């Protein structure tokens, strides 16, 4: 008897150019073996020939499977795949009762006597294994007999898969691995890893449909796709645990000498087992991702985190049988983020900062003198940005900032402040940042909560429009500008020009309407209006209001598109 262990290829059983061995035929009537009562195997199960079955083990509760090999010198292969816990399993064989062998005569023995005869004999142990690898028993010449497969999980309730066949050289349900089954890391970046592997001979030589599935996670490599499915599902198992005493039935039992309930005359193929019980919908875990990429043998994994170790597994899946084989997994650490230069802030001086889309910038403020308070003023010119402020490593502030915001923090002698700015996902960000220990030195003007400009439609004429905007209790200078635009000018174009940091110095002198000072101690009455004259009939204009602070820095209100009447 020749015994082979996985992952040696089943093709090794016979030379490629040899004439295939004629396999024993199955006489279903002969191997009824008086087992008409299915209650005989109530507490165990029958393994179908040539089908992969999925089942469930409760911790410390053994499970036994049976199958029959009818004739001596029969090839045999048994594969056990643990899913989410190590298994202990043993394969043994015992002689069939005389009546079952087909050589006896007379009346059959009562079922109870056969049951005693079978279960009381220990049988000859052929193979045993303990662990979580996909393990095989392969024999080119097995004796006839009743085979028993005993499985046990001592760690936890778990799933597993079993495949058994008496025609291993022709079935080949599992994709074969190439002579070098390793995954190569061909390129490594801060957020990307490129993987390459040799194709499965099942695809390149046997022309069977193979697709490759990549699994990425941060914890460990997986030894089977079954283990990945168990991890991916919501309860760390790919299906609900069956009730004790039940199993996966019915099968299309064209198998191992036991009678089929239906379709007994059909040829045996790759049978798909049914799963008992309600299926759970898989729920993707954020730390484990699976992607199937067809028959390509190179793939770039993107959107990874810098300076992070990832584990990569590759599985070749036969799409005809839905059975898979694992390549030798690998791991790699992405490159570190390029160290950014920290911008030094000077007390009371405005610093311009540019951040690319989803980028990050670091600023440092180290006051030279002792201080009771420190004030940070942030002017986000475009979209909102995230700001974090740490003092000597301790987080003091974490907020999103849009427009102009001011934060006042308690000071500390010889303290150093680190400011982290993270850009928007929408696009690049531009900011003006001011840090000061002098609370009365404010370069940015104060703004109302609402920075919209309101136009009065009833006061609109062929040559003028009237608008209003809110002010504050602080006396500031306001300048209003106008620019004629095309009739097809829309909100999207206006949005692209909403850089609040571009001041009046970027405008043409001809676009200036007027400047004036304005404030009100009563915030409810801090409203000003202005009529803009000298406009052309039926024309569109874009209006901008700038508020200019004591330090000379300006902030633009939201632009307003207006149109004069065509006929008056």
């Amino acid at each position: 008897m020749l015994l082979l262990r996985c992952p040696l290829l089943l093709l090794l059983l016979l030379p490629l150019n040899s004439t295939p061995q004629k396999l024993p035929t199955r006489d279903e009537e002969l191997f009824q073996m008086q087992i008409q009562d299915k209650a005989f195997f109530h507490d165990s199960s029958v393994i179908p020939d040539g089908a992969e079955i999925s089942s469930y083990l409760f911790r410390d509760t053994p499970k036994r499977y049976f199958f029959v090999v009818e004739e001596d010198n029969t090839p045999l292969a048994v594969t056990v795949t643990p899913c989410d816990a190590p298994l202990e399993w043993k394969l043994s064989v015992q002689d069939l009762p005389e009546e079952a062998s087909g050589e006896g005569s007379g009346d059959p023995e009562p079922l109870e006597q056969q049951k005693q005869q079978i279960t009381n004999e220990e049988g000859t142990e052929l193979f045993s294994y303990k662990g979580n690898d996909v393990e095989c028993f392969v024999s080119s010449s097995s004796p006839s007999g009743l085979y028993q497969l005993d499985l046990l999980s001592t760690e936890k309730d778990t799933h597993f898969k079993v495949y058994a066949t008496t025609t291993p050289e022709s079935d080949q349900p599992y994709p074969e691995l190439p002579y070098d089954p390793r995954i190569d890391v061909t390129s490594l970046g801060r957020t990307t890893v490129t993987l390459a592997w040799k194709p499965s001979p099942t695809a390149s030589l046997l022309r069977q449909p193979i697709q490759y599935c990549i699994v990425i996670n941060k914890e460990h490599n997986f030894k089977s796709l079954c283990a990945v499915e168990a991890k991916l599902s919501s309860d760390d198992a790919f299906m609900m645990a069956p009730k004790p005493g039940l199993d996966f039935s019915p099968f299309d039992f064209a198998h191992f000498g036991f009678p089929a309930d239906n379709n007994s005359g059909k040829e045996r193929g790759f049978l798909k087992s049914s799963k008992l019980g309600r299926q759970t919908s898989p729920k993707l875990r954020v730390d484990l991702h699976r992607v199937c990429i067809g028959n390509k043998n190179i793939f770039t994994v993107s959107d990874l985190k810098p300076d992070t170790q990832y584990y990569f597994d590759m599985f070749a899946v036969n799409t005809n049988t839905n059975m898979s084989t694992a390549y030798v997994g690998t791991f790699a650490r992405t490159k570190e983020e390029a160290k950014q230069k920290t911008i030094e802030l000077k007390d009371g001086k405005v610093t311009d900062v540019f951040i690319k889309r989803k980028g990050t910038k670091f600023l440092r403020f180290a006051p030279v003198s002792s201080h009771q308070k420190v004030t940070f003023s942030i002017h986000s010119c475009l979209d909102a940005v995230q700001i974090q402020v740490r003092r000597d490593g301790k987080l003091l502030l974490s907020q999103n900032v849009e427009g102009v915001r001011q934060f006042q923090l308690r000071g500390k002698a010889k303290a150093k402040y680190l400011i982290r700015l993270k850009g928007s996902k929408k696009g690049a960000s531009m900011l003006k940042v001011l840090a000061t220990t002098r609370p009365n030195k404010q370069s940015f003007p104060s703004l109302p909560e609402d920075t919209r400009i309101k136009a009065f439609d009833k006061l609109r004429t062929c040559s003028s429009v009237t608008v209003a905007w809110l002010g504050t209790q602080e006396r500031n200078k306001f300048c209003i500008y106008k620019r004629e635009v095309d009739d097809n000018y829309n909100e999207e174009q206006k949005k692209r020009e909403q850089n609040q940091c571009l001041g009046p110095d970027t405008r043409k002198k001809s676009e200036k309407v007027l400047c004036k000072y304005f404030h009100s101690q009563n915030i409810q009455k801090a409203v000003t209006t202005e009529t803009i004259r000298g406009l052309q009939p039926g024309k569109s204009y874009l209006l901008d209001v700038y508020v200019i602070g004591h330090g000379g820095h300006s902030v633009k209100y939201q632009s307003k598109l207006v149109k004069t009447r065509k006929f008056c």
Side-chain angles (χ1 to χ4, degrees):
M1 179 187 298
L2 171 64
L3 296 182
L4 299 176
R5 293 182 60 182
C6 281
L8 292 178
L9 303 182
L10 295 179
L11 284 177
L12 294 177
L13 288 170
L14 290 173
L16 291 176
N17 58 357
S18 66
T19 304
Q21 173 189 352
K22 185 179 179 185
L23 299 176
T25 58
R26 298 181 184 166
D27 187 336
E28 294 291 345
E29 292 183 4
L30 175 63
F31 286 96
Q32 295 291 334
M33 56 177 290
Q34 295 97 10
I35 305 180
Q36 303 294 335
D37 186 359
K38 290 187 179 180
F40 181 78
F41 292 112
H42 173 74
D43 293 323
S44 57
S45 298
V46 174
I47 300 179
D49 190 353
E52 184 181 63
I53 64 170
S54 300
S55 191
Y56 195 86
L57 274 176
F58 292 97
R59 184 170 65 90
D60 295 330
T61 303
K63 180 170 281 191
R64 173 173 291 178
Y65 285 90
F66 291 90
F67 60 90
V68 168
V69 171
E70 305 164 6
E71 296 183 9
D72 289 334
N73 303 317
T74 299
L76 176 65
V78 178
T79 302
V80 177
T81 303
C83 290
D84 46 357
L87 296 181
E88 299 177 22
W89 64 273
K90 177 181 71 173
L91 182 67
S92 57
V93 62
Q94 56 183 276
D95 292 336
L96 291 169
E98 286 188 10
E99 292 297 325
S101 67
E103 299 174 359
S105 59
D107 296 332
E109 294 179 359
L111 181 61
E112 286 302 316
Q113 292 183 24
Q114 293 185 37
K115 185 174 179 180
Q116 287 292 325
Q117 187 174 351
I118 294 174
T119 56
N120 286 343
E121 294 181 14
E122 281 297 322
T124 302
E125 182 177 314
L126 300 177
F127 184 76
S128 64
Y129 174 75
K130 181 179 180 179
N132 59 357
D133 284 324
V134 179
E135 194 61 59
C136 300
F137 168 85
V138 181
S139 171
S140 60
S141 179
S142 296
S144 63
L146 179 67
Y147 284 73
Q148 295 176 187
L149 178 64
D150 295 288
L151 302 105
L152 177 67
S153 172
T154 58
E155 284 193 10
K156 64 175 183 177
D157 299 348
T158 183
H159 296 85
F160 65 93
K161 294 187 177 185
V162 176
Y163 173 78
T165 179
T166 54
T167 55
E169 69 280 4
S170 60
D171 284 359
Q172 299 175 16
Y174 295 99
E176 296 177 37
L177 292 177
Y179 68 91
D180 182 3
R182 294 173 297 180
I183 305 171
D184 294 321
V185 177
T186 61
S187 176
L188 193 63
R190 289 191 294 272
T191 60
T192 60
V193 173
T194 300
L195 307 171
W197 57 94
K198 294 176 176 59
S200 164
T202 304
S204 56
L205 298 179
L206 302 180
R207 303 298 179 185
Q208 292 191 28
I210 297 295
Q211 75 166 344
Y212 298 99
C213 295
I214 300 174
V215 175
I216 309 107
N217 79 105
K218 300 179 187 177
E219 296 178 1
H220 55 76
N221 288 109
F222 289 90
K223 297 183 179 181
S224 69
L225 199 53
C226 170
V228 175
E229 291 168 347
K231 191 77 170 177
L232 277 172
S233 64
S234 58
D235 59 349
D236 279 352
F238 63 86
M239 59 183 175
M240 296 292 289
K243 295 179 181 179
L246 297 178
D247 212 308
F248 303 95
S249 62
F251 284 112
D252 182 5
F253 280 125
H255 59 270
F256 285 126
F258 286 93
D261 289 337
N262 298 300
N263 307 320
S264 57
K266 289 186 178 179
E267 290 184 3
R268 178 173 61 83
F270 294 109
L271 307 176
K272 293 184 179 179
S273 61
S274 345
K275 295 176 182 178
L276 185 67
R278 179 178 58 86
Q279 299 289 314
T280 59
S281 6
K283 180 180 178 182
L284 188 64
R285 297 166 61 101
V286 294
D287 57 346
L288 177 63
H289 299 276
R290 174 182 58 185
V291 57
C292 295
I293 60 169
N295 57 6
K296 296 187 294 183
N297 64 331
I298 186 169
F299 185 74
T300 298
V301 184
S302 57
D303 293 326
L304 302 176
K305 292 183 179 179
D307 193 26
T308 303
Q309 181 159 302
Y310 289 91
Y311 294 84
F312 303 95
D313 292 289
M314 173 64 57
F315 299 93
V317 182
N318 187 325
T319 56
N320 279 346
T321 65
N322 204 31
M323 295 163 77
S324 59
T325 304
Y327 278 65
V328 177
T330 188
F331 62 89
R333 178 174 288 274
T334 50
K335 291 184 178 180
E336 292 183 12
E337 191 77 74
K339 292 186 177 179
Q340 295 188 9
K341 182 180 178 181
T342 302
I343 302 172
E344 295 287 341
L345 297 177
K346 294 184 178 180
D347 197 335
K349 184 177 180 181
V350 175
T351 301
D352 293 315
V353 180
F354 175 81
I355 308 174
K356 61 184 180 180
R357 178 178 173 268
K358 295 199 298 187
T360 304
K361 282 287 176 72
F362 291 93
L363 295 80
R364 182 174 175 270
F365 182 50
V368 294
S369 59
S370 59
H371 57 283
Q372 292 184 339
K373 293 181 179 180
V374 60
T375 302
F376 293 97
S377 298
I378 312 293
H379 183 188
S380 178
C381 310
L382 299 170
D383 293 313
V385 297
Q386 185 188 63
I387 177 174
Q388 285 186 349
V389 179
R390 294 180 184 272
R391 183 183 63 204
D392 299 331
K394 182 180 179 181
L395 182 65
L396 302 179
L397 173 70
S398 180
Q399 284 191 25
N400 288 331
V401 172
E402 193 169 8
V404 176
R405 290 290 302 276
Q406 181 176 294
F407 305 100
Q408 196 168 75
L409 305 174
R410 182 174 296 179
K412 188 178 180 181
K414 299 181 180 179
K416 293 180 177 60
Y417 300 86
L418 182 67
I419 300 97
R420 178 181 181 269
L421 298 170
K422 185 171 179 59
S424 167
K425 295 180 180 179
K426 299 178 182 178
S429 302
M430 295 176 61
L431 303 97
K432 291 181 179 291
V433 181
L434 170 71
T436 181
T437 57
R438 292 166 286 177
N440 57 345
K441 186 174 178 59
Q442 300 299 330
S443 294
F444 295 131
S446 59
L447 288 175
E449 289 186 7
D450 190 348
T451 58
R452 293 176 297 176
I453 302 171
K454 178 177 174 56
F456 298 97
D457 185 66
K458 291 182 178 180
L459 301 179
R460 190 166 53 101
T461 70
C462 291
S463 60
S464 68
V465 293
T466 300
V467 294
W469 64 90
L470 298 177
T472 66
Q473 294 173 316
E474 179 183 333
R475 188 172 185 268
N476 285 316
K477 182 180 179 181
F478 294 86
C479 294
I480 186 165
Y481 284 73
K482 70 176 184 345
R483 176 165 64 93
E484 186 177 334
V485 295
D486 295 334
D487 288 340
N488 59 0
Y489 188 89
N490 55 37
E491 289 296 321
E492 187 62 32
Q493 290 173 285
K494 187 176 75 172
K495 188 177 180 181
R496 287 200 295 267
E497 298 179 5
Q498 281 296 96
N499 186 343
Q500 290 186 332
C501 293
L502 295 178
D505 54 323
T506 63
R507 304 296 296 261
K508 296 177 182 178
K509 288 185 178 180
S510 59
E511 295 177 348
K512 183 177 179 180
V513 177
L514 59 86
C515 291
K516 68 177 183 180
Y517 286 90
F518 164 71
H519 77 289
S520 175
Q521 293 300 324
N522 185 348
I523 194 66
Q524 302 296 329
K525 296 182 178 180
V527 181
T528 185
T529 60
E530 196 64 45
T531 299
I532 301 157
R533 307 180 190 277
L535 307 179
Q536 298 298 316
K539 296 294 183 180
S540 297
Y541 294 87
L542 191 68
L543 304 182
D544 289 308
V545 170
Y546 298 88
V547 54
I548 303 169
H550 301 301
H553 293 283
S554 63
V555 179
K556 187 174 74 169
Y557 278 46
Q558 297 179 41
S559 301
K560 181 65 178 179
L561 186 64
V562 296
K563 188 174 183 179
T564 55
R565 296 188 185 277
K566 195 170 185 179
F567 303 103
C568 295

